[in-house]
Every structure is written in C-alpha cells, then in structure tokens.
C-alpha cells in the first residue's frame, strides 16, 4: 500500500491538471501556430503556470491501494491486484490461462 500522502498529492495534481488543461491547450496552440512575438509570450505564460499543471506530473496508480508500479491502464489496477482479483473471479471475462 502506498503512503497516504503520495496518494493525496497525486489526487491534488489531477485537480490542478484539470483546472489548467484548457488554458495550457490554448497556449500550446499559440506556440504551434502564432507569430514569433505571440510564441514568446505564450512560452513565458506557460512557464509561469504551476508545475503540477502538466499532465505528465500525474502518476498512474492502483485505484485500490495506490501502488505506483505495474499499472494496467485498461483495468486501473496494478498487476498484483489484477492477478488476485482474476483468481477470485472478480473480473468478468478474465480467466486464468492453462495449457
């Protein structure tokens, strides 16, 4: 189980990313297509935003216990939790392979 503070910090980052997502997209579009002066101003404004506003700062974590590694995106859980739940039959359509 991950530390509660790490899980809380990650959730806070998710909220910050959501709050700044639209403005970041606008600035990135200006950087991509604007004039050199507009680009420079957009880069400066983008740099002034909080670091946690970047989506790459959010860590994929197990939704049950917050484990940061071995995350399976399709299920939202870690590989270990996936195996446990699959063995108990808690994941519909998932069966243990045997040959």
């Amino acid at each position: 189980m991950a530390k509660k503070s790490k899980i809380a910090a990650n959730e806070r980052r998710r909220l910050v990313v959501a709050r700044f997502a639209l403005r970041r997209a606008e600035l990135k579009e200006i950087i991509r297509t604007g004039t050199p002066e507009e680009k420079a101003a957009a880069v400066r404004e983008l740099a002034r935003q909080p670091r946690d506003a970047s989506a790459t700062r959010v860590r994929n974590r197990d939704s049950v216990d917050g484990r940061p590694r071995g995350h399976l995106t399709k299920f939202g859980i870690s590989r270990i939790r996936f195996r446990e739940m699959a063995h108990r039959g808690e994941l519909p359509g998932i069966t243990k392979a045997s040959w």
Side-chain angles (χ1 to χ4, degrees), residues 3-62:
K3 290 169 41 173
K4 300 272 188 211
S5 60
K6 291 289 189 181
I7 295 170
N10 202 49
E11 290 307 312
R12 180 179 36 82
R13 282 191 195 103
R14 284 187 194 279
L15 295 174
V16 173
V17 166
R19 187 175 349 140
F20 285 92
L22 183 61
R23 183 62 183 149
R24 285 182 65 85
E26 292 170 356
L27 290 172
K28 287 187 176 195
E29 183 62 25
I30 291 170
I31 291 170
R32 195 173 66 81
T33 61
T35 65
E37 296 82 23
E38 290 174 339
K39 286 182 182 184
V43 167
R44 281 192 301 273
E45 188 175 340
L46 195 60
R48 278 198 313 262
Q49 290 189 342
R51 280 189 177 178
D52 284 347
S54 174
T56 59
R57 301 271 293 191
V58 176
R59 179 83 172 169
N60 287 329
R61 290 184 173 270
D62 187 324

Side-chain angles (χ1 to χ4, degrees), residues 58-99:
V58 176
R59 179 83 172 169
N60 287 329
R61 290 184 173 270
D62 187 324
S63 59
V64 178
D65 66 359
R67 187 176 202 278
R69 300 196 179 221
H71 181 265
L72 302 175
T73 305
K74 185 175 180 180
F75 300 95
I77 54 178
S78 68
R79 60 185 177 80
I80 296 167
R81 179 84 45 211
F82 177 83
R83 188 167 188 268
E84 291 171 356
M85 291 175 76
H87 280 287
R88 289 192 302 250
E90 295 175 2
L91 299 174
I94 304 296
T95 56
K96 184 177 182 302
S98 60
W99 59 88

